[in-house]
Amino acid sequence: MGARRVGIVGGGIVGVALAHRIAGMGRDAAVTVLEKEPALARHQTGRNSGVVHAGLYYAPGSLKARLCRRGVALLAEFCATHGLAYDECGKVVVALDQVELGRLQGIHERAVANGVPGVRMVGRDELRELEPHVRGIAALHSPHTAVVDFGEVTRRLAADAAAAGAEIRTGVAVRAISQNGTGVAVAAGGDRLAFDQLVICGGLHTDRLARLAGHEGDPRVVPFRGEYYELAPGRRNLVNGLVYPVPDPRYPFLGVHLTRRVDGGVLVGPNAVLALAREGYRWRDLRLGDLAETLAWPGFRRMAARHWRTGVREVVGSLSRRAFCDAARRYVPELEPADLLRARSGVRAQAVARDGSLVDDFRISRQGRVVAIRNAPSPAATSSMAIAEHIAAWLFEG
Ligand SMILES: Cc1cc2nc3c(=O)[nH]c(=O)nc-3n(C[C@H](O)[C@H](O)[C@H](O)COP(=O)(O)OP(=O)(O)OC[C@H]3O[C@@H](n4cnc5c(N)ncnc54)[C@H](O)[C@@H]3O)c2cc1C
């Protein structure tokens, strides 16, 4: 028997981490990554906040909680051995009032249950020592939360995977997938490829690809754009590390935060507005087919009926720099609209179920010879090497 042929659709950090894992396992396997863009990490992986989440928020025992903690360990080690920037600048989650403080104490308990090292509640004075320009009545401090450049990490993972024998092909869009008892046939670019197993890590297109392979249609990806500003260079001293609000428990998004980047810049954002195309990075990026598909999904309509007020508020913040600034100024009162410069946006692939619920945990499904990652929102970049380990175990150990 020849080597087992494993195909991976998607050259974001999850697909590439999986190729890296399989190639490094020393199994008799031939792994091929198929990425439609001319380069890796062009979508979510290259357009995020760059935060190595420590695992504060996730329900203990969930895939997110487990794979995030394991992912941090693997990622930190990978960055250390490859000389990649990994800056443990620390994070504060700031409560503005007593209601938020109650929620923050719940997050503290989760963080402890998830085994996050060093987390503790700090009062107003200690918050001021950590972050002199930030106001709040108390905060949760996570000293080991870090930042990296996930695009850079992806390229290093790919280089190592290629050196270990993986084939990484860019500029190759997968258009059709069919499977039977003996294999999986994939039409990609102008080629017809044959694999023994296929893993779909297609980010914003993952639901469409999964349906092509015979997986069920529920959940669907709804694209939520996250827009960022960055602090003008002279104002970067307003924060030392990462400053987050207490998240609204009804949403999977963490709220506009201030994030230090490995290059010294400071991002402010992201908000969350419906993107009018799967890869709709600006309001003018409209694809009628994508939008019609979103609007036709009963899950989207149910979600919109429940959350339209928040949606309206987010759109106002998107259209007005002053409104965006007001959200951040609640934490950093010295911030002025003139301090904010437009920065690049990202689009999140958020799975929404038919009943209108936003899928919270990572979701990975298997149907015959095809595994599909149906929901890999934040912290999937942090967790990518652990997600890879998890899937590789499925593929090779049954
Ligand atoms: C605004 C924003 C902020 C975030 N902040 C953080 C953070 O701070 N920390 C964190 O851990 N996570 C964060 N995330 C989440 C994180 O970026 C994603 O969870 C992670 O990048 C998902 O990786 P992926 O490989 O699954 O998807 P992607 O990076 O989107 O990669 C999917 C790839 O599949 C390719 N593809 C799609 N269809 C096809 C096809 N038909 N043929 C071939 N290729 C195809 C795409 O071109 C793409 O390159 C954030 C996300 C966003 C959008």
Side-chain angles (χ1 to χ4, degrees), residues 220-291:
R220 293 283 167 89
V221 168
V222 173
F224 284 98
R225 185 169 59 251
E227 296 157 332
Y228 291 96
Y229 285 87
E230 62 182 314
L231 290 187
R235 301 292 274 164
R236 288 175 180 166
N237 61 341
L238 284 176
V239 292
N240 291 325
L242 314 176
V243 178
Y244 278 65
V246 176
D248 183 331
R250 289 169 300 169
Y251 305 108
F253 311 128
L254 297 177
V256 166
H257 42 265
L258 290 98
T259 316
R260 192 159 276 290
R261 284 195 320 231
V262 285
D263 66 3
V266 177
L267 292 174
V268 186
N271 59 358
V273 291
L274 181 70
L276 306 181
R278 292 277 175 124
E279 292 161 5
Y281 295 106
R282 300 162 302 183
W283 278 112
R284 61 176 178 276
D285 295 335
L286 164 69
R287 285 178 76 108
L288 286 176
D290 285 359
L291 185 59

Side-chain angles (χ1 to χ4, degrees), residues 9-15 34-37 41-45 47-51 53 150 172-174 201-205 209 226 228 270 279 346-348 376-382:
V9 188
I13 196 165
V14 175
L34 303 168
E35 165 55 50
K36 69 179 166 58
E37 301 293 344
R42 281 280 172 97
H43 294 291
Q44 295 177 94
T45 297
R47 293 170 164 271
N48 58 38
S49 302
V51 177
H53 287 290
F150 285 116
V172 182
V174 170
C201 311
L204 289 153
H205 299 276
L209 290 158
Y228 291 96
E279 292 161 5
V347 180
R348 308 171 183 86
S378 184
T382 302

Side-chain angles (χ1 to χ4, degrees), residues 218 297-300 302-303 306 352-359:
D218 187 7
W297 176 236
F300 173 75
R302 292 190 178 111
M303 180 196 71
R306 266 178 234 151
V352 176
R354 179 176 284 277
D355 68 5
S357 59
L358 296 145
V359 179

